[in-house]
């Protein structure tokens, strides 16, 4: 899956928290989120906004799709999407990154069939 396919899939499945997601889908979308938020920050500084209005708009636009793809990515590794609550802790971010980087299960799990790579 490439960058544009990942963005398309994640916005089509913006509220789908079931199923599984490949590593490439997750990481390309995270790169997109980073770029969108950086553009929001750049626009804010260019227009002289101190409050970060465009940064917050960018954040709100990508929040739900990012949570959904994160849950699907955890499902691919056999974990519940609720583990994303670890993101609220400092050490939890490290654990989540390790899980998101891990390979998905090769067999069926309780979240669906394995993702076939074309």
């Amino acid at each position: 899956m490439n960058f544009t396919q990942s963005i398309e899939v994640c916005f089509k499945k913006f509220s789908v928290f079931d199923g599984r997601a490949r590593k490439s889908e997750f990481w390309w979308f995270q790169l997109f989120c980073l770029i969108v938020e950086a553009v929001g920050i750049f626009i804010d500084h260019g227009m002289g906004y101190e409050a970060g209005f465009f940064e917050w708009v960018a954040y709100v636009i990508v929040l739900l799709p990012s949570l959904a793809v994160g849950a699907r990515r955890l499902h691919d590794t056999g974990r519940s999407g609720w583990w994303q609550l670890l993101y609220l802790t400092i050490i939890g971010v490290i654990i989540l990154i390790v899980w998101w980087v891990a390979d998905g299960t090769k067999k069926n799990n309780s979240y669906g069939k394995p993702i076939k790579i074309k």
Side-chain angles (χ1 to χ4, degrees):
M1 179 170 289
N2 64 30
F3 184 72
T4 56
Q5 289 172 331
S6 172
I7 295 166
E8 183 180 331
V9 167
C10 288
F11 277 113
K12 281 184 180 177
K13 296 182 175 183
F14 77 96
S15 64
V16 177
F17 285 82
D18 57 341
R20 297 166 77 163
R22 295 183 190 144
K23 280 195 279 188
S24 60
E25 177 183 345
F26 175 79
W27 288 111
W28 281 123
F29 192 72
Q30 293 306 313
L31 176 63
F32 171 74
C33 292
L34 183 70
I35 292 169
V36 166
E37 291 172 18
V39 168
I41 292 169
F42 181 75
I43 292 171
D44 281 334
H45 287 295
M47 298 181 102
Y49 290 131
E50 297 289 326
F53 175 74
F54 286 102
E55 178 184 2
W56 277 101
V57 169
Y59 180 73
V60 168
I61 289 171
V62 297
L63 178 63
L64 189 59
S66 182
L67 288 173
V69 74
R72 292 193 311 269
R73 180 70 203 123
L74 287 172
H75 291 170
D76 194 42
T77 63
R79 294 174 180 85
S80 170
W82 286 103
W83 281 107
Q84 289 186 96
L85 290 173
L86 286 175
Y87 201 69
L88 300 173
T89 66
I90 294 170
I91 193 74
V93 174
I94 297 167
I95 295 168
L96 281 171
I97 290 172
V98 169
W99 288 344
W100 285 328
V101 170
D103 288 334
T105 57
K106 305 291 184 217
K107 298 180 181 179
N108 290 353
N109 64 23
S110 58
Y111 302 104
K113 295 180 180 180
I115 300 165
K116 294 183 180 181
I117 299 173
K118 296 176 184 177

